[in-house]
Amino acid sequence: HPAAFTYKMPETVTFGEGAMVEPLAVGLQAANKARIRPGDVALVLGAGPIGMLTALAALAGGGSRVFISDVFDPKLALAAHYPGLIPVNAREQNVTDFILKATDGWGVDIVFEASGSEQALRGVFGPLCPGGCVVLIGMPGAPVPFDVVAAQAKEARVESVFRYAHIFPRALALIGAGKIDVKPLITDR
């Protein structure tokens, strides 16, 4: 394996945790693209591995609270174990209505779209506050409509993530320092 693509794991990081570095790097890239600031409130659409690690990266980046939505209860139950993560079941409640109520009508500073769901993408600007940022992470299976007027009405900044760039050392450092606990996300050995 090329040395330039090899990273030494800290002594405190297990091989299981090391396997989570790549998806965490995607989440950290998303948080970087969002330009998250201390105190920001975020919403992550999709509680799969990338969505969960994006939510944890948002908290590590200074987010005060992060809502995370999905349609699968086991994923949301896992999210509920992390302080600062607030699960929202998108099958049982309207996510935009939930967010607006929880933020006194203002909305979240950042929406991370990590599901790739056409339905989630259609409503991505609804829970966003004016001047907020949408970060596109999930990849839909086919082209989806983009509501330009909704983006303009919020004066939204839209960013996209494909992978990550030079973030493995930061991911390893955060796991090694105990700042991001990936152990609950490891399902198999």
Side-chain angles (χ1 to χ4, degrees):
H1 192 74
F5 298 111
T6 305
Y7 298 88
K8 181 173 174 45
M9 292 195 312
E11 296 288 328
T12 56
V13 177
T14 67
F15 287 117
E17 292 169 305
M20 302 300 288
V21 169
E22 192 277 341
L24 176 56
V26 175
L28 291 170
Q29 177 76 352
N32 285 343
K33 287 289 199 97
R35 300 181 204 151
I36 195 163
R37 296 175 308 181
D40 276 351
V41 177
L43 166 64
V44 177
L45 302 172
I50 299 294
M52 286 288 288
L53 289 165
T54 298
L56 295 176
L59 287 175
S64 58
R65 57 189 167 142
V66 178
F67 298 92
I68 185 164
S69 73
D70 207 292
V71 296
F72 295 108
D73 288 328
K75 292 178 181 181
L76 295 170
L78 181 58
H81 289 293
Y82 284 101
L85 295 189
I86 303 156
V88 182
N89 189 317
R91 194 172 0 110
E92 297 174 2
Q93 48 202 326
N94 180 292
V95 174
T96 296
D97 291 345
F98 184 93
I99 294 299
L100 293 177
K101 183 176 180 187
T103 60
D104 296 324
W106 181 248
V108 294
D109 301 294
I110 305 161
V111 174
F112 295 99
E113 202 306 299
S115 72
S117 159
E118 180 179 344
Q119 183 176 350
L121 284 160
R122 258 194 315 256
V124 76
F125 297 107
L128 189 68
C129 74
C133 178
V134 169
V135 182
L136 304 173
I137 309 165
M139 295 186 174
V144 297
F146 185 82
D147 191 342
V148 174
V149 174
Q152 289 174 315
K154 295 279 178 99
E155 292 192 5
R157 181 170 49 89
V158 179
E159 296 282 350
S160 63
V161 170
F162 182 60
R163 289 188 184 144
Y164 40 82
H166 312 296
I167 297 197
F168 272 35
R170 287 181 183 274
L172 282 166
L174 286 165
I175 293 171
K179 300 293 183 186
I180 294 183
D181 182 11
V182 298
K183 289 183 202 109
L185 303 176
I186 299 170
T187 59
D188 248 330
R189 285 186 173 73

